[in-house]
């Protein structure tokens, strides 16, 4: 992607943990020069420190007029961390927050009237360029600002623009947190394989390969509903049908997932206060 404006004016990253770091890796791999990046993080990882030799500005002075500032601290830390960037508010710097819960209004109050702010919800597959990020801007973001945010986020995966900020709670619960559910599925399948007598290493590698392969198949058959892909595996009277009778029973996986995602969305709404 084109990073021209960001490379020229700079990008500030507030918080470089798992998600901020994943996105930074994607941007640097995509051609953003390290010298255009300023990271503020009190306990930088060794990997981040290693980027200083390539020109990355770690915990140094802020650029005067960066194109974009990414807010990637935990929502609980946002209030304490934001004042570091307050001087960039109300002007030409576009803010992009990936924090769960924290609303555009809360960020706007902290950063000052007229600050262009985009709220985005990515997920960790961004680390391998396979994230999915939903985004929405406040009233101060113009079309060019939204394009800039979308360009940056599309460097680490797919993007989708939304029209209603409150949708972010459900999106956080579904795709933001979703990779954890899939990793738990791998763990659960492996544990069940062990319970059936398989060696742990074999069970783990079978479970992981199955999820990876099923994901790739779902991607290559993008027009085919997931329900059809499931039916394709299910021989009448066979083994899959026996398992699905358990998984699809009342209070089975569908109900469980519904309750899990409702709990995550409720937590996202709680984090807004
Ligand atoms: N992880 C995920 O899958 C996703 C996370 N998010 C959102 O991304 C944000 C970050 O999450 P995640 O990366 O998991 O969290 P991490 O804890 O891994 O990263 C946050 C980073 O911010 C640092 N930090 C803490 N205080 C400050 C400060 N005052 N100034 C600068 N940096 C600070 C932390 O340092 P220290 O460790 O020393 O506290 C840490 O390195 C959250 O708001 C979360 O809601 C969104 C989508 C997915
Ligand atoms: O667990 C969390 O709160 C963050 C937001 C989405 C994924 N991780």
């Amino acid at each position: 992607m084109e990073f021209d404006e960001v490379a020229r004016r700079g990008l500030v990253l507030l918080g470089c943990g798992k998600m901020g770091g994943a996105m930074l890796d994607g941007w640097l791999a995509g051609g953003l020069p390290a010298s255009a990046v300023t990271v503020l993080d009190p306990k930088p990882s060794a990997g981040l420190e290693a980027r200083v030799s390539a020109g990355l500005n770690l915990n140094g002075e802020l650029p005067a007029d960066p194109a974009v500032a990414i807010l990637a601290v935990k929502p609980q830390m946002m209030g304490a961390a934001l004042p570091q960037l307050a001087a960039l508010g109300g002007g030409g710097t576009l803010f992009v927050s990936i924090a769960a819960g924290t609303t555009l209004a809360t960020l706007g109050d902290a950063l000052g009237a007229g600050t262009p702010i985009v709220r985005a919800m990515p997920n960790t597959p961004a680390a391998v360029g396979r994230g999915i990020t939903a985004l929405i801007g406040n009233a101060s973001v113009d079309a060019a600002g939204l394009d800039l945010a979308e360009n940056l986020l599309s460097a680490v995966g797919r993007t989708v623009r939304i029209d209603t900020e409150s949708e972010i709670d459900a999106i956080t619960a579904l795709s933001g947190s979703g990779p954890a559910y899939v990793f738990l599925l791998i763990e659960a399948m492996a544990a069940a394989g062990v319970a059936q007598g398989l060696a742990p290493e074999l069970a783990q590698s079978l479970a992981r390969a199955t999820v990876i392969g099923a994901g790739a198949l779902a991607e290559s058959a993008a027009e085919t509903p997931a329900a059809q892909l499931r039916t394709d595996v299910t021989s009448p009277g066979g083994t899959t049908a026996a398992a699905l009778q358990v998984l699809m029973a009342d209070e089975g996986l569908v109900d469980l997932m519904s309750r899990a995602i409702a709990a995550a969305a409720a937590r996202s709404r709680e984090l807004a206060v």
Side-chain angles (χ1 to χ4, degrees):
M1 70 155 288
E2 291 295 323
F3 285 115
D4 291 356
E5 191 191 351
V6 180
R8 188 169 53 78
R9 292 176 52 200
L11 175 149
V12 176
L13 176 60
L14 182 70
C16 191
K18 290 177 282 296
M19 198 61 241
M23 294 193 304
L24 179 62
D25 287 348
W27 294 327
L28 295 174
L32 180 67
S35 57
V37 177
T38 299
V39 174
L40 300 183
D41 192 303
K43 283 191 217 145
S45 66
L48 182 59
E49 282 179 335
R51 295 202 183 274
V52 171
S53 60
L56 182 138
N57 173 6
L58 181 56
N59 292 323
E61 271 191 32
L62 292 176
D65 181 34
V68 62
I70 311 290
L71 309 177
V73 294
K74 296 276 188 206
Q76 296 89 339
M77 305 304 299
M78 191 64 83
L82 259 191
Q84 298 173 87
L85 300 189
L88 303 178
T93 299
L94 174 73
F95 282 75
V96 178
S97 169
I98 64 162
T102 315
T103 62
L104 287 168
T106 301
L107 293 166
D109 286 346
L111 292 167
T115 305
I117 308 170
V118 166
R119 188 172 166 196
M121 181 44 58
N123 62 11
T124 53
V128 291
R130 303 298 301 272
I132 173 79
T133 304
L135 67 149
I136 184 167
N138 71 357
S140 300
V141 179
D142 60 12
L146 267 181
D147 285 349
L148 174 59
E150 189 161 38
N151 271 345
L152 268 176
L153 295 163
S154 65
V156 292
R158 294 169 53 197
T159 57
V160 54
R161 291 188 190 191
I162 58 171
D163 298 322
T164 311
E165 186 182 2
S166 58
E167 285 181 318
I168 288 243
D169 297 311
I171 289 166
T172 303
L174 177 55
S175 55
S177 298
Y181 317 153
V182 176
F183 300 133
L184 178 62
L185 178 67
I186 294 175
E187 293 174 67
M189 287 173 67
V194 171
Q196 289 302 311
L198 297 179
E201 299 74 29
L202 176 60
Q204 273 175 37
S205 100
L206 291 171
R208 195 178 275 251
T210 299
V211 169
I212 292 168
L217 181 57
E219 181 175 51
S220 77
E223 302 305 314
T224 309
Q228 181 59 49
L229 297 174
R230 166 171 55 78
T231 302
D232 291 346
V233 187
T234 313
S235 309
T239 60
T240 315
L244 291 177
Q245 261 189 6
V246 176
L247 288 171
M248 298 175 79
D250 289 350
E251 301 187 10
L253 183 63
V254 176
D255 177 63
L256 203 54
M257 190 58 79
S258 170
R259 287 192 284 129
I261 287 184
R267 181 62 186 142
S268 175
R269 287 188 285 270
E270 275 172 16
L271 286 168
V273 292

